PDB file of all heavy atoms in Angstrom:
ATOM      1  N   GLY A   1      42.048 -14.341  69.022  1.00 87.00           N
ATOM      2  CA  GLY A   1      42.259 -14.835  67.667  1.00 87.00           C
ATOM      3  C   GLY A   1      43.566 -15.611  67.549  1.00 87.00           C
ATOM      4  O   GLY A   1      43.624 -16.673  66.923  1.00 87.00           O
ATOM      5  N   SER A   2      44.611 -15.096  68.173  1.00 87.00           N
ATOM      6  CA  SER A   2      45.901 -15.783  68.151  1.00 87.00           C
ATOM      7  C   SER A   2      45.827 -17.130  68.865  1.00 87.00           C
ATOM      8  O   SER A   2      46.376 -18.136  68.404  1.00 87.00           O
ATOM      9  CB  SER A   2      46.978 -14.909  68.808  1.00 87.00           C
ATOM     10  OG  SER A   2      47.169 -13.718  68.069  1.00 87.00           O
ATOM     11  N   ALA A   3      45.121 -17.122  70.011  1.00 87.00           N
ATOM     12  CA  ALA A   3      44.967 -18.366  70.760  1.00 87.00           C
ATOM     13  C   ALA A   3      44.204 -19.402  69.948  1.00 87.00           C
ATOM     14  O   ALA A   3      44.545 -20.602  69.957  1.00 87.00           O
ATOM     15  CB  ALA A   3      44.250 -18.093  72.085  1.00 87.00           C
ATOM     16  N   GLN A   4      43.162 -18.978  69.234  1.00 88.00           N
ATOM     17  CA  GLN A   4      42.388 -19.904  68.408  1.00 88.00           C
ATOM     18  C   GLN A   4      43.237 -20.488  67.279  1.00 88.00           C
ATOM     19  O   GLN A   4      43.140 -21.673  66.973  1.00 88.00           O
ATOM     20  CB  GLN A   4      41.157 -19.196  67.839  1.00 88.00           C
ATOM     21  CG  GLN A   4      40.058 -18.948  68.871  1.00 88.00           C
ATOM     22  CD  GLN A   4      38.902 -18.161  68.290  1.00 88.00           C
ATOM     23  OE1 GLN A   4      39.077 -17.038  67.813  1.00 88.00           O
ATOM     24  NE2 GLN A   4      37.722 -18.750  68.320  1.00 88.00           N
ATOM     25  N   ASP A   5      44.074 -19.625  66.674  1.00 86.00           N
ATOM     26  CA  ASP A   5      44.936 -20.103  65.589  1.00 86.00           C
ATOM     27  C   ASP A   5      45.932 -21.142  66.106  1.00 86.00           C
ATOM     28  O   ASP A   5      46.160 -22.176  65.465  1.00 86.00           O
ATOM     29  CB  ASP A   5      45.693 -18.927  64.961  1.00 86.00           C
ATOM     30  CG  ASP A   5      44.777 -18.007  64.164  1.00 86.00           C
ATOM     31  OD1 ASP A   5      43.671 -18.444  63.811  1.00 86.00           O
ATOM     32  OD2 ASP A   5      45.180 -16.854  63.906  1.00 86.00           O
ATOM     33  N   GLU A   6      46.544 -20.872  67.261  1.00 84.00           N
ATOM     34  CA  GLU A   6      47.513 -21.803  67.828  1.00 84.00           C
ATOM     35  C   GLU A   6      46.839 -23.118  68.227  1.00 84.00           C
ATOM     36  O   GLU A   6      47.407 -24.208  68.047  1.00 84.00           O
ATOM     37  CB  GLU A   6      48.200 -21.176  69.043  1.00 84.00           C
ATOM     38  CG  GLU A   6      49.127 -20.020  68.683  1.00 84.00           C
ATOM     39  CD  GLU A   6      49.828 -19.448  69.896  1.00 84.00           C
ATOM     40  OE1 GLU A   6      49.764 -20.093  70.972  1.00 84.00           O
ATOM     41  OE2 GLU A   6      50.432 -18.379  69.779  1.00 84.00           O
ATOM     42  N   LEU A   7      45.615 -23.014  68.757  1.00 85.00           N
ATOM     43  CA  LEU A   7      44.887 -24.223  69.136  1.00 85.00           C
ATOM     44  C   LEU A   7      44.537 -25.052  67.903  1.00 85.00           C
ATOM     45  O   LEU A   7      44.617 -26.286  67.932  1.00 85.00           O
ATOM     46  CB  LEU A   7      43.624 -23.841  69.900  1.00 85.00           C
ATOM     47  CG  LEU A   7      42.761 -24.991  70.426  1.00 85.00           C
ATOM     48  CD1 LEU A   7      43.574 -25.913  71.328  1.00 85.00           C
ATOM     49  CD2 LEU A   7      41.562 -24.437  71.192  1.00 85.00           C
ATOM     50  N   ALA A   8      44.160 -24.388  66.820  1.00 84.00           N
ATOM     51  CA  ALA A   8      43.843 -25.099  65.582  1.00 84.00           C
ATOM     52  C   ALA A   8      45.076 -25.846  65.063  1.00 84.00           C
ATOM     53  O   ALA A   8      44.978 -26.987  64.592  1.00 84.00           O
ATOM     54  CB  ALA A   8      43.326 -24.127  64.528  1.00 84.00           C
ATOM     55  N   GLU A   9      46.251 -25.212  65.159  1.00 78.00           N
ATOM     56  CA  GLU A   9      47.485 -25.876  64.725  1.00 78.00           C
ATOM     57  C   GLU A   9      47.795 -27.078  65.612  1.00 78.00           C
ATOM     58  O   GLU A   9      48.234 -28.130  65.124  1.00 78.00           O
ATOM     59  CB  GLU A   9      48.649 -24.884  64.753  1.00 78.00           C
ATOM     60  CG  GLU A   9      48.569 -23.807  63.673  1.00 78.00           C
ATOM     61  CD  GLU A   9      49.766 -22.879  63.713  1.00 78.00           C
ATOM     62  OE1 GLU A   9      50.735 -23.187  64.433  1.00 78.00           O
ATOM     63  OE2 GLU A   9      49.737 -21.856  63.013  1.00 78.00           O
ATOM     64  N   ALA A  10      47.573 -26.922  66.913  1.00 78.00           N
ATOM     65  CA  ALA A  10      47.822 -28.027  67.837  1.00 78.00           C
ATOM     66  C   ALA A  10      46.905 -29.212  67.532  1.00 78.00           C
ATOM     67  O   ALA A  10      47.328 -30.373  67.566  1.00 78.00           O
ATOM     68  CB  ALA A  10      47.629 -27.566  69.280  1.00 78.00           C
ATOM     69  N   LEU A  11      45.642 -28.931  67.224  1.00 77.00           N
ATOM     70  CA  LEU A  11      44.701 -29.992  66.879  1.00 77.00           C
ATOM     71  C   LEU A  11      45.119 -30.710  65.600  1.00 77.00           C
ATOM     72  O   LEU A  11      45.040 -31.943  65.503  1.00 77.00           O
ATOM     73  CB  LEU A  11      43.298 -29.411  66.714  1.00 77.00           C
ATOM     74  CG  LEU A  11      42.401 -29.399  67.957  1.00 77.00           C
ATOM     75  CD1 LEU A  11      41.148 -28.576  67.698  1.00 77.00           C
ATOM     76  CD2 LEU A  11      42.044 -30.816  68.376  1.00 77.00           C
ATOM     77  N   THR A  12      45.571 -29.935  64.625  1.00 72.00           N
ATOM     78  CA  THR A  12      46.029 -30.531  63.366  1.00 72.00           C
ATOM     79  C   THR A  12      47.213 -31.453  63.603  1.00 72.00           C
ATOM     80  O   THR A  12      47.278 -32.579  63.080  1.00 72.00           O
ATOM     81  CB  THR A  12      46.403 -29.439  62.363  1.00 72.00           C
ATOM     82  OG1 THR A  12      45.245 -28.645  62.064  1.00 72.00           O
ATOM     83  CG2 THR A  12      46.935 -30.051  61.068  1.00 72.00           C
ATOM     84  N   GLU A  13      48.185 -30.996  64.403  1.00 67.00           N
ATOM     85  CA  GLU A  13      49.357 -31.805  64.697  1.00 67.00           C
ATOM     86  C   GLU A  13      48.974 -33.084  65.446  1.00 67.00           C
ATOM     87  O   GLU A  13      49.516 -34.164  65.180  1.00 67.00           O
ATOM     88  CB  GLU A  13      50.363 -30.998  65.512  1.00 67.00           C
ATOM     89  CG  GLU A  13      51.016 -29.867  64.722  1.00 67.00           C
ATOM     90  CD  GLU A  13      51.926 -29.016  65.579  1.00 67.00           C
ATOM     91  OE1 GLU A  13      52.052 -29.298  66.797  1.00 67.00           O
ATOM     92  OE2 GLU A  13      52.517 -28.058  65.048  1.00 67.00           O
ATOM     93  N   LEU A  14      48.028 -32.961  66.388  1.00 72.00           N
ATOM     94  CA  LEU A  14      47.608 -34.133  67.150  1.00 72.00           C
ATOM     95  C   LEU A  14      46.888 -35.135  66.254  1.00 72.00           C
ATOM     96  O   LEU A  14      47.099 -36.348  66.362  1.00 72.00           O
ATOM     97  CB  LEU A  14      46.691 -33.693  68.298  1.00 72.00           C
ATOM     98  CG  LEU A  14      46.243 -34.787  69.265  1.00 72.00           C
ATOM     99  CD1 LEU A  14      47.444 -35.430  69.956  1.00 72.00           C
ATOM    100  CD2 LEU A  14      45.291 -34.212  70.320  1.00 72.00           C
ATOM    101  N   ARG A  15      46.038 -34.642  65.360  1.00 67.00           N
ATOM    102  CA  ARG A  15      45.340 -35.537  64.433  1.00 67.00           C
ATOM    103  C   ARG A  15      46.325 -36.230  63.500  1.00 67.00           C
ATOM    104  O   ARG A  15      46.195 -37.418  63.208  1.00 67.00           O
ATOM    105  CB  ARG A  15      44.301 -34.750  63.642  1.00 67.00           C
ATOM    106  CG  ARG A  15      43.055 -34.416  64.456  1.00 67.00           C
ATOM    107  CD  ARG A  15      42.135 -33.485  63.722  1.00 67.00           C
ATOM    108  NE  ARG A  15      40.947 -33.166  64.506  1.00 67.00           N
ATOM    109  CZ  ARG A  15      40.340 -31.986  64.495  1.00 67.00           C
ATOM    110  NH1 ARG A  15      40.820 -31.005  63.754  1.00 67.00           N
ATOM    111  NH2 ARG A  15      39.268 -31.784  65.241  1.00 67.00           N
ATOM    112  N   ASP A  16      47.323 -35.479  63.022  1.00 58.00           N
ATOM    113  CA  ASP A  16      48.335 -36.082  62.152  1.00 58.00           C
ATOM    114  C   ASP A  16      49.094 -37.174  62.892  1.00 58.00           C
ATOM    115  O   ASP A  16      49.411 -38.226  62.328  1.00 58.00           O
ATOM    116  CB  ASP A  16      49.319 -35.020  61.654  1.00 58.00           C
ATOM    117  CG  ASP A  16      48.693 -34.096  60.614  1.00 58.00           C
ATOM    118  OD1 ASP A  16      47.636 -34.452  60.062  1.00 58.00           O
ATOM    119  OD2 ASP A  16      49.272 -33.023  60.347  1.00 58.00           O
ATOM    120  N   LEU A  17      49.400 -36.919  64.162  1.00 62.00           N
ATOM    121  CA  LEU A  17      50.097 -37.926  64.965  1.00 62.00           C
ATOM    122  C   LEU A  17      49.241 -39.172  65.115  1.00 62.00           C
ATOM    123  O   LEU A  17      49.712 -40.300  64.918  1.00 62.00           O
ATOM    124  CB  LEU A  17      50.434 -37.351  66.343  1.00 62.00           C
ATOM    125  CG  LEU A  17      51.017 -38.335  67.368  1.00 62.00           C
ATOM    126  CD1 LEU A  17      52.329 -38.912  66.864  1.00 62.00           C
ATOM    127  CD2 LEU A  17      51.216 -37.650  68.713  1.00 62.00           C
ATOM    128  N   ALA A  18      47.978 -38.981  65.457  1.00 62.00           N
ATOM    129  CA  ALA A  18      47.081 -40.124  65.635  1.00 62.00           C
ATOM    130  C   ALA A  18      46.901 -40.883  64.330  1.00 62.00           C
ATOM    131  O   ALA A  18      46.886 -42.116  64.310  1.00 62.00           O
ATOM    132  CB  ALA A  18      45.725 -39.649  66.161  1.00 62.00           C
ATOM    133  N   HIS A  19      46.810 -40.153  63.207  1.00 55.00           N
ATOM    134  CA  HIS A  19      46.638 -40.809  61.920  1.00 55.00           C
ATOM    135  C   HIS A  19      47.888 -41.591  61.537  1.00 55.00           C
ATOM    136  O   HIS A  19      47.804 -42.633  60.887  1.00 55.00           O
ATOM    137  CB  HIS A  19      46.314 -39.776  60.837  1.00 55.00           C
ATOM    138  CG  HIS A  19      44.978 -39.143  61.027  1.00 55.00           C
ATOM    139  ND1 HIS A  19      44.512 -38.123  60.214  1.00 55.00           N
ATOM    140  CD2 HIS A  19      43.999 -39.361  61.942  1.00 55.00           C
ATOM    141  CE1 HIS A  19      43.303 -37.748  60.625  1.00 55.00           C
ATOM    142  NE2 HIS A  19      42.976 -38.492  61.669  1.00 55.00           N
ATOM    143  N   GLY A  20      49.052 -41.097  61.929  1.00 56.00           N
ATOM    144  CA  GLY A  20      50.280 -41.811  61.657  1.00 56.00           C
ATOM    145  C   GLY A  20      50.360 -43.110  62.422  1.00 56.00           C
ATOM    146  O   GLY A  20      50.968 -44.089  61.967  1.00 56.00           O
ATOM    147  N   LEU A  21      49.743 -43.142  63.611  1.00 60.00           N
ATOM    148  CA  LEU A  21      49.741 -44.370  64.396  1.00 60.00           C
ATOM    149  C   LEU A  21      48.807 -45.416  63.794  1.00 60.00           C
ATOM    150  O   LEU A  21      49.113 -46.598  63.780  1.00 60.00           O
ATOM    151  CB  LEU A  21      49.291 -44.064  65.831  1.00 60.00           C
ATOM    152  CG  LEU A  21      50.238 -43.189  66.651  1.00 60.00           C
ATOM    153  CD1 LEU A  21      49.550 -42.748  67.942  1.00 60.00           C
ATOM    154  CD2 LEU A  21      51.524 -43.938  66.966  1.00 60.00           C
ATOM    155  N   HIS A  22      47.699 -44.947  63.291  1.00 62.00           N
ATOM    156  CA  HIS A  22      46.714 -45.862  62.712  1.00 62.00           C
ATOM    157  C   HIS A  22      45.866 -45.035  61.749  1.00 62.00           C
ATOM    158  O   HIS A  22      45.104 -44.171  62.200  1.00 62.00           O
ATOM    159  CB  HIS A  22      45.841 -46.457  63.811  1.00 62.00           C
ATOM    160  CG  HIS A  22      44.987 -47.581  63.343  1.00 62.00           C
ATOM    161  ND1 HIS A  22      45.343 -48.893  63.486  1.00 62.00           N
ATOM    162  CD2 HIS A  22      43.793 -47.589  62.708  1.00 62.00           C
ATOM    163  CE1 HIS A  22      44.392 -49.668  62.989  1.00 62.00           C
ATOM    164  NE2 HIS A  22      43.454 -48.902  62.513  1.00 62.00           N
ATOM    165  N   PRO A  23      45.992 -45.227  60.459  1.00 70.00           N
ATOM    166  CA  PRO A  23      45.346 -44.334  59.488  1.00 70.00           C
ATOM    167  C   PRO A  23      43.847 -44.194  59.712  1.00 70.00           C
ATOM    168  O   PRO A  23      43.119 -45.188  59.734  1.00 70.00           O
ATOM    169  CB  PRO A  23      45.649 -45.008  58.146  1.00 70.00           C
ATOM    170  CG  PRO A  23      46.847 -45.849  58.408  1.00 70.00           C
ATOM    171  CD  PRO A  23      46.734 -46.313  59.833  1.00 70.00           C
ATOM    172  N   ALA A  24      43.392 -42.969  59.858  1.00 72.00           N
ATOM    173  CA  ALA A  24      41.968 -42.734  60.091  1.00 72.00           C
ATOM    174  C   ALA A  24      41.130 -43.194  58.903  1.00 72.00           C
ATOM    175  O   ALA A  24      40.016 -43.700  59.078  1.00 72.00           O
ATOM    176  CB  ALA A  24      41.728 -41.247  60.363  1.00 72.00           C
ATOM    177  N   THR A  25      41.655 -43.023  57.691  1.00 81.00           N
ATOM    178  CA  THR A  25      40.915 -43.450  56.500  1.00 81.00           C
ATOM    179  C   THR A  25      40.668 -44.952  56.525  1.00 81.00           C
ATOM    180  O   THR A  25      39.602 -45.427  56.125  1.00 81.00           O
ATOM    181  CB  THR A  25      41.689 -43.075  55.226  1.00 81.00           C
ATOM    182  OG1 THR A  25      41.919 -41.668  55.215  1.00 81.00           O
ATOM    183  CG2 THR A  25      40.912 -43.462  53.982  1.00 81.00           C
ATOM    184  N   LEU A  26      41.649 -45.701  57.019  1.00 87.00           N
ATOM    185  CA  LEU A  26      41.488 -47.153  57.111  1.00 87.00           C
ATOM    186  C   LEU A  26      40.391 -47.499  58.101  1.00 87.00           C
ATOM    187  O   LEU A  26      39.523 -48.344  57.827  1.00 87.00           O
ATOM    188  CB  LEU A  26      42.807 -47.792  57.535  1.00 87.00           C
ATOM    189  CG  LEU A  26      42.824 -49.315  57.666  1.00 87.00           C
ATOM    190  CD1 LEU A  26      42.516 -49.971  56.333  1.00 87.00           C
ATOM    191  CD2 LEU A  26      44.165 -49.794  58.199  1.00 87.00           C
TER     192      LEU A  26
END
């Protein structure tokens, strides 16, 4: 459960980084 939570946070951070480079909504 802890590993899943940490992985979910890592995915969120990576998506935020990618969106900052080029907005996904755009």
Side-chain angles (χ1 to χ4, degrees):
S2 296
Q4 286 176 301
D5 290 342
E6 291 182 12
L7 182 57
E9 290 182 10
L11 268 170
T12 298
E13 291 176 0
L14 185 61
R15 284 172 180 145
D16 288 344
L17 173 61
H19 293 176
L21 294 169
H22 191 96
T25 303
L26 181 62

